[in-house]
Amino acid sequence: EDQVTQSPEALRLQEGESSSLNCSYTVSGLRGLFWYRQDPGKGPEFLFTLYSAGEEKEKERLKATLTKKESFLHITAPKPEDSATYLCAVRTYSSASKIIFGSGTRLSIRP
Amino acid sequence: ETGVTQSPTHLIKTRGQQVTLRCSSQSGHNTVSWYQQALGQGPQFIFQYYREEENGRGNFPPRFSGLQFPNYSSELNVNALELDDSALYLCASSFQTGGEENGYTFGSGTRLTVV
């Protein structure tokens, strides 16, 4: 069964303290891996799509990387406004109409 | 370019009742997907509509049904509501052509509470 697991469940950092969020996946055939940001009471906001191992994408303080088994979302010198839940999701070739989400990492940045 | 609009934003229903949630797709998008998100969990796929036909379904019972209209807007209907149906219901639109689909744009969701 296709599965996405995110860790840690929650992470509290001091402003400026860099860290990484992990997304491990077990799928029959990866068609794409997505990162979304979700603020409380809002829908997920698209951040990145990664397609193949070794691929990297950056946006401001965020960088996403992909291997054959996991993806990392690196946060460099975070600010309080980066506080949110970060969701990882995959689309597979066997079930291309749906995206399978992990449970997310709740990130809190203290000033 | 307008985003994805969902209505209503909040709804309280009684167990056993029926509910209809609505979604207007982002301009230019032809595919709509519906997700259920319980508190503290990731979104779970309910179903997807493309060209007014159901194009995939997750592990949800038949009392969850949907429609897509010619203007690509969509409805999610849930019959015989249960307490466990309380969740945030998210609509996501995208553009699909030749079997390929671009990334989702999500709406802000409808918070359904069943009492």
Side-chain angles (χ1 to χ4, degrees):
Chain A
E1 184 182 341
D2 298 327
Q3 209 164 19
V4 178
T5 303
Q6 291 188 247
S7 62
E9 287 186 10
L11 182 62
R12 296 186 70 187
L13 300 173
Q14 201 70 34
E15 184 173 0
E17 181 185 0
S18 302
S19 188
S20 296
L21 312 183
N22 177 264
C23 171
S24 298
Y25 62 91
T26 305
V27 298
S28 51
L30 182 70
R31 185 166 168 168
L33 184 140
F34 309 89
W35 283 98
Y36 286 86
R37 169 191 170 129
Q38 187 173 26
D39 292 302
K42 302 288 186 182
E45 176 189 347
F46 171 76
L47 293 174
F48 305 108
T49 307
L50 302 167
Y51 294 102
S52 57
E55 191 173 358
E56 298 183 353
K57 289 195 176 170
E58 287 189 66
K59 180 180 179 180
E60 296 180 357
R61 295 177 292 281
L62 300 176
K63 182 167 88 170
T65 62
L66 181 65
T67 72
K68 289 186 177 180
K69 293 185 178 180
E70 56 192 352
S71 177
F72 293 93
L73 185 65
H74 306 278
I75 301 178
T76 302
K79 299 181 178 181
E81 54 261 42
D82 295 323
S83 297
T85 295
Y86 290 85
L87 294 165
C88 172
V90 299
R91 176 178 284 140
T92 70
Y93 283 101
S94 61
S95 186
S97 65
K98 71 177 180 181
I99 289 180
I100 303 165
F101 282 85
S103 294
T105 294
R106 293 190 310 279
L107 178 65
S108 175
I109 309 298
R110 296 169 293 187
Chain B
E1 177 179 277
T2 58
V4 176
T5 305
Q6 292 188 243
S7 62
T9 54
H10 296 84
L11 200 54
I12 299 175
K13 288 286 191 178
T14 302
R15 189 172 49 183
Q17 285 188 313
Q18 178 266 343
V19 69
T20 298
L21 310 182
R22 293 180 174 82
C23 171
S24 294
S25 303
Q26 178 169 311
S27 177
H29 284 183
N30 60 7
T31 302
V32 173
S33 304
W34 286 91
Y35 284 80
Q36 180 195 66
Q37 187 175 24
L39 206 59
Q41 299 297 315
Q44 299 292 314
F45 177 72
I46 303 175
F47 43 56
Q48 182 182 85
Y49 278 83
Y50 170 63
R51 291 185 174 178
E52 303 175 55
E53 298 277 339
E54 190 178 285
N55 186 43
R57 189 179 181 91
N59 295 324
F60 282 81
R63 60 189 184 84
F64 285 79
S65 63
L67 284 172
Q68 187 183 30
F69 300 100
N71 65 354
Y72 303 122
S73 66
S74 178
E75 287 183 354
L76 165 65
N77 298 290
V78 187
N79 293 322
L81 284 167
E82 301 177 359
L83 296 179
D84 285 349
D85 295 334
S86 296
L88 181 69
Y89 287 84
L90 294 163
C91 171
S93 74
S94 57
F95 181 74
Q96 187 176 151
T97 178
E100 291 298 319
E101 185 181 342
N102 298 326
Y104 285 179
T105 300
F106 280 90
S108 291
T110 293
R111 172 69 64 187
L112 174 65
T113 302
V114 182
V115 297

